[in-house]
Amino acid sequence: SLPLLFNLTSQSSTNHSTNQQPTAQPTNSRTKYVALVENDLLRLGDDIALKYGQTMSGNSMGSTAFDRGTKAFREKNWDTAKKALLQVPNTDGTSYAATQEMLAWLYFREKKYAEAVKCYKTYAAANPGPGADLHLLQFYLADYENSKADFRKLLDEILDPANEHKFRDEAEKLKAGM
């Protein structure tokens, strides 16, 4: 599936359930950098649930912990999903990479940006491509305080005119927003 494009407008709705996806609304406690990527990364959760709900869960590629975690993720039962996904062994190949993508999103949702970066880097290393580059750039920006050098390096790679990166315009928008 394709990465989400930028929509920097805030949504306004009330979060009635602890398992409901939070709504991205700027607050004083959020940094400018998190606000730049928050809407896109929160919506990424729906894309991830759809991707793994259709292609991996319940088949021979997934471990039992992976299947439980994916099912809970699709059902937006975040605590159960995280507990199960943390049990997927790093020897579980494709399932482990997918697990890291889901955990990155869960950590982002919990505002644990450094953990989100760590997990998404693992996912992106196993699934390189323009979409992974863009999302990794977004995760880096959310954790800019700790990931400044990595953010700058990846931004330069995406913006390199010789690269002709598919998401160059989106990266330009991030740079301009800073």
Side-chain angles (χ1 to χ4, degrees), residues 55-70:
T55 61
M56 293 183 75
S57 185
N59 68 29
S60 61
M61 290 185 355
S63 70
T64 302
F66 178 79
D67 291 339
R68 284 192 324 270
T70 302

Side-chain angles (χ1 to χ4, degrees), residues 10-58:
S10 295
Q11 303 168 357
S12 59
S13 68
T14 305
N15 185 356
H16 296 287
S17 164
T18 58
N19 278 332
Q20 186 177 8
Q21 180 171 315
T23 305
Q25 296 177 332
T27 66
N28 292 338
S29 65
R30 294 192 184 148
T31 68
K32 174 183 177 181
Y33 297 141
V34 171
L36 282 172
V37 297
E38 189 168 32
N39 287 326
D40 290 327
L41 288 179
L42 287 175
R43 285 194 316 270
L44 177 63
D46 291 332
D47 189 44
I48 292 169
L50 181 62
K51 175 170 50 174
Y52 297 124
Q54 292 178 347
T55 61
M56 293 183 75
S57 185

Side-chain angles (χ1 to χ4, degrees), residues 31-157:
T31 68
K32 174 183 177 181
Y33 297 141
V34 171
L36 282 172
V37 297
E38 189 168 32
N39 287 326
D40 290 327
L41 288 179
L42 287 175
R43 285 194 316 270
L44 177 63
D46 291 332
D47 189 44
I48 292 169
L50 181 62
K51 175 170 50 174
Y52 297 124
Q54 292 178 347
T55 61
M56 293 183 75
S57 185
N59 68 29
S60 61
M61 290 185 355
S63 70
T64 302
F66 178 79
D67 291 339
R68 284 192 324 270
T70 302
K71 181 179 187 290
F73 193 96
R74 282 192 324 266
E75 293 171 356
K76 299 183 180 190
N77 187 344
W78 310 130
D79 292 337
T80 301
K82 185 176 173 185
K83 286 176 189 169
L85 293 170
L86 286 170
Q87 295 175 10
V88 175
N90 64 2
T91 56
D92 208 356
T94 304
S95 295
Y96 184 72
T99 295
Q100 294 305 297
E101 184 179 28
M102 286 184 269
L103 285 171
W105 186 85
L106 290 168
Y107 284 127
F108 178 82
R109 186 180 179 279
E110 296 173 348
K111 298 178 179 28
K112 295 179 180 175
Y113 305 124
E115 287 297 316
V117 164
K118 180 180 169 190
C119 291
Y120 202 82
K121 278 177 77 170
T122 300
Y123 168 78
N127 296 281
D133 289 346
L134 178 62
H135 290 311
L136 183 56
L137 189 68
Q138 292 170 323
F139 280 109
Y140 281 152
L141 188 55
D143 187 44
Y144 191 72
E145 189 175 294
N146 299 309
S147 301
K148 183 177 181 178
D150 290 327
F151 173 83
R152 293 283 181 192
K153 181 179 180 213
L154 183 55
L155 180 66
D156 288 346
E157 289 173 18

